[in-house]
């Protein structure tokens, strides 16, 4: 029974850690299994200024506090592992880790969050860190006086493009549509910046170089014409995708691969709840993830109590 | 100083001492940024498993971090963190930008054994 828990939480972002705090505090034996970094998307944020009750804090610091809170209530956290199999349809849920260890539980809360979307084209993995970046504040200064491309058309892409003009000699925004998804103020700021050019209705097909990136193949989508552009760097900001690949065929997902939940954060499987960026919802913020984690945890507590009452009756 | 639980390299002297006293060393040179933090966390996780490796961090913006920034192995790197693996004081492998647990353990196993 060493590996049996009342609650297993998949993911240690804001939603998962919050759920862990609540279920552990409710005296449920809780294990968080996390494939990536504790804090999830939260640690990607340099400064969080709109988390109520905290004036300014880094995402990393907030994640550390949440982790400590959960552990102080008795929650166990295992990180940087790989979930190799999930069996969620029975009364006892089974989670296999690293194709070796099996953990079981009465409840599973899925809080696997999301990850940055990649282009998935030739050369992207090879030139990551050698010309391709996903973080302007991290890597912007390596491109001082150089010419770069920003891929994307949302708020992040346009805001980071403007921010990168502090370093780069020229920034070209490559976007797949003929219009931007960003707020008009972000679009206006980018359009008014003399260092920024635009290549619309286009996508990058391939990254080419030697030790580091030298040029890209850009395809104009309507005409299907391809041209090569010499470039020193490419920053990619094309949104996030939910971490739900391993859940396909196991629980109900919508067409965007987001988990479908009801207001109690229950999925279509009894005893399986979901919270945070991996569920179908409109707004993805630390605060909404925390709210989801709270609701999922309280629903889980209620589910266990109801199950115990049923058994006793 | 970086806010991690790793050994901190705070100067050129620290760097020299660390390499002089340890056969196998992994130094992650970065900032408290989103590409760096996951690497620090993996290193913290691996400290207990790889007792024969010394894990350390160094602030990328510290002047003495030139010891890492100017290595031939990191020439051309354009993504934080710069992570360097040393064997008997000599750099044997370096990576740029975020790395996953499996990528890091593959290098550790290849360079230092398990």
């Amino acid at each position: 029974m060493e590996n049996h828990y009342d609650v297993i939480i998949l993911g240690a972002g804001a939603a998962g850690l919050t759920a862990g705090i609540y279920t552990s505090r409710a005296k449920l034996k809780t294990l968080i299994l996390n494939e990536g970094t504790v804090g999830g998307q939260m640690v990607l944020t340099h400064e969080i200024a709109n988390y109520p009750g905290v004036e300014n804090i880094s995402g990393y610091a907030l994640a550390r506090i949440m982790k400590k809170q959960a552990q102080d209530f008795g929650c166990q956290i295992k990180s940087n592992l790989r979930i190799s199999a999930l069996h969620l349809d029975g009364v006892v849920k089974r989670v296999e880790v690293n194709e070796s260890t099996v953990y079981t539980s009465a409840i599973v809360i899925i809080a696997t969050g999301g990850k940055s979307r990649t282009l998935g084209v030739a050369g992207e993995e090879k030139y990551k860190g050698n010309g391709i970046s996903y973080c302007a504040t991290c890597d912007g200064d390596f491109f001082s006086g150089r010419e770069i491309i920003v891929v994307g058309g949302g708020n992040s892409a346009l805001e980071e493009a403007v921010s990168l003009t502090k370093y780069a000699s020229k920034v070209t925004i490559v976007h797949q549509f003929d219009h931007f998804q960003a707020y008009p103020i972000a679009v206006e700021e980018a359009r008014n910046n003399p260092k920024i050019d635009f290549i619309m209705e286009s996508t990058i097909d391939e990254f080419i170089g030697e030790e580091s990136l030298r040029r890209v193949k850009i395809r104009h989508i309507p005409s299907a014409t391809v041209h090569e552009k010499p470039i020193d760097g490419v920053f990619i900001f094309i949104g996030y995708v939910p971490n739900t690949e391993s859940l396909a065929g196991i629980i109900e997902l919508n067409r965007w691969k987001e988990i479908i939940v009801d207001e109690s954060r229950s999925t279509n499987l009894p005893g399986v709840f979901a919270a945070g960026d991996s569920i179908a919802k409109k707004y993805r913020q630390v605060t909404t993830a925390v709210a989801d984690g709270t609701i999922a945890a309280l629903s889980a507590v209620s589910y266990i109590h109801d199950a115990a009452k049923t058994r006793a009756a | 100083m970086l806010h991690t639980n790793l050994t901190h390299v705070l100067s050129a002297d620290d760097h020299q001492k660390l390499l002089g006293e340890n056969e196998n060393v992994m130094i992650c040179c970065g900032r408290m940024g989103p590409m760096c933090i996951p690497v620090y966390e993996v290193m913290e996780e691996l400290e207990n498993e790889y007792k024969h490796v010394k894990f350390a961090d160094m602030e990328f913006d510290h002047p003495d971090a030139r010891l890492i920034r100017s290595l031939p192995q990191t020439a051309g790197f354009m993504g934080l963190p710069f992570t360097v693996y040393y064997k008997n004081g000599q750099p044997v492998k370096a990576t740029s930008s975020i790395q996953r647990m499996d990528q890091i353990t593959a290098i550790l196993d290849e360079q230092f054994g398990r």
Side-chain angles (χ1 to χ4, degrees):
Chain A
M1 295 298 280
E2 189 185 329
N3 283 352
H4 184 76
Y5 292 80
D6 296 315
V7 180
I8 290 176
I9 298 166
L10 306 180
L17 291 170
T18 303
I21 290 168
Y22 270 80
T23 55
S24 300
R25 194 160 185 254
K27 305 295 182 196
L28 297 179
K29 187 182 174 192
T30 301
L31 171 67
I32 296 179
L33 297 171
N34 186 47
E35 288 198 319
T37 304
V38 172
Q41 295 290 315
M42 195 166 33
V43 301
L44 303 184
T45 310
H46 280 280
E47 184 180 272
I48 296 172
N50 55 1
Y51 192 84
V54 184
E55 284 192 336
N56 279 296
I57 191 166
S58 72
Y60 178 71
L62 186 58
R64 287 250 156 168
I65 294 168
M66 287 186 186
K67 179 183 177 184
K68 184 175 182 302
Q69 279 180 294
Q71 288 175 322
D72 286 350
F73 285 123
C75 181
Q76 292 180 48
I77 301 174
K78 295 180 188 293
S79 206
N80 285 300
L81 44 75
R82 198 173 62 80
I83 292 164
S84 44
L86 282 172
H87 303 280
L88 303 180
D89 50 353
V91 174
V92 177
K93 319 298 180 192
R94 291 164 53 86
V95 181
E96 182 189 275
V97 168
N98 296 337
E99 289 164 340
S100 54
T101 311
V102 173
Y103 299 96
T104 58
S105 64
I107 297 281
V108 167
I109 298 175
I110 301 166
T112 46
K115 61 186 173 194
S116 295
R117 191 191 298 272
T118 58
L119 288 170
V121 301
E124 187 171 9
E125 183 64 25
K126 180 178 179 183
Y127 295 112
K128 183 186 77 177
N130 289 294
I132 296 176
S133 175
Y134 303 87
C135 178
T137 45
C138 304
D139 302 333
D141 54 354
F142 293 115
F143 297 89
S144 293
R146 298 185 184 204
E147 189 173 333
I148 61 170
I149 283 173
V150 167
V151 182
N155 285 313
S156 294
L158 270 68
E159 287 166 6
E160 299 290 25
V162 170
S163 150
L164 285 163
T165 59
K166 285 186 291 187
Y167 309 105
S169 58
K170 183 181 170 190
V171 176
T172 301
I173 296 176
V174 175
H175 185 43
Q176 62 179 327
F177 302 121
D178 62 356
H179 62 281
F180 291 108
Q181 290 76 50
Y183 292 134
I185 190 168
V187 176
E188 187 182 346
E189 198 177 351
R191 290 211 181 276
N192 289 337
N193 191 309
K195 281 187 167 181
I196 297 181
D197 278 348
F198 302 88
I199 298 179
M200 305 300 285
E201 297 183 89
S202 298
T203 185
I204 292 182
D205 270 2
E206 187 178 352
F207 297 96
I208 304 161
E210 290 153 15
E211 285 298 306
S212 55
L213 180 68
R214 290 283 176 264
R215 58 194 191 279
V216 292
K217 277 186 184 172
I218 298 175
R219 179 165 48 91
H220 182 243
I221 296 168
S223 65
T225 54
V226 177
H227 76 278
E228 285 194 10
K229 180 176 175 63
I231 205 75
D232 298 311
V234 175
F235 286 75
I236 300 170
F237 305 106
I238 50 174
Y240 294 93
V241 287
N243 281 322
T244 56
E245 298 97 331
S246 61
L247 298 169
I250 296 176
I251 63 169
E252 195 178 358
L253 306 176
N254 66 15
R255 65 189 171 118
W256 295 287
K257 311 296 181 196
E258 301 160 335
I259 303 166
I260 297 171
V261 293
D262 65 15
E263 63 181 359
S264 69
R265 304 304 182 265
S266 301
T267 69
N268 63 310
L269 294 180
V272 181
F273 301 84
D277 285 0
S278 57
I279 69 170
K281 62 177 182 177
K282 186 170 182 182
Y283 298 112
R284 288 178 167 76
Q285 298 284 305
V286 178
T287 47
T288 60
V290 164
D292 289 334
T294 305
I295 296 166
L298 293 175
S299 300
V301 172
S302 179
Y303 181 92
I304 283 187
H305 287 169
D306 290 348
K309 275 187 211 163
T310 305
R311 280 197 303 274
Chain B
M1 192 170 72
L2 296 165
H3 303 291
T4 75
N5 296 322
L6 298 166
T7 297
H8 305 302
V9 178
L10 301 173
S11 65
D13 287 345
D14 278 359
H15 184 263
Q16 189 179 12
K17 191 163 178 274
L18 188 75
L19 298 190
E21 292 177 352
N22 298 279
E23 181 186 350
N24 304 314
V25 176
M26 174 183 179
I27 301 178
C28 184
C29 185
R31 299 176 179 137
M32 290 310 291
M35 299 293 126
C36 305
I37 290 167
V39 180
Y40 305 141
E41 191 180 282
V42 169
M43 292 168 75
E44 288 177 7
E45 293 256 338
L46 292 175
E47 274 191 315
N48 285 331
E49 195 178 335
Y50 288 78
K51 300 271 190 203
H52 58 302
V53 180
K54 189 71 180 175
F55 295 90
D57 63 41
M58 189 170 194
E59 270 193 277
F60 187 82
D61 299 306
H62 191 288
D64 289 349
R66 70 181 186 284
L67 293 168
I68 286 171
R69 293 196 304 259
S70 62
L71 285 171
Q73 287 84 353
T74 62
F77 279 8
M78 289 181 286
L80 288 181
F82 291 9
T83 305
V84 182
Y85 301 78
Y86 297 88
K87 180 90 178 168
N88 297 317
Q90 296 303 311
V92 290
K93 179 80 179 175
T95 62
S96 174
S97 194
I98 190 171
Q99 301 287 311
R100 298 187 309 269
M101 168 79 93
D102 60 319
Q103 292 173 311
I104 292 171
T105 53
I107 295 170
L108 291 172
D109 293 346
E110 181 192 347
Q111 299 297 334
F112 307 142
R114 203 166 167 88

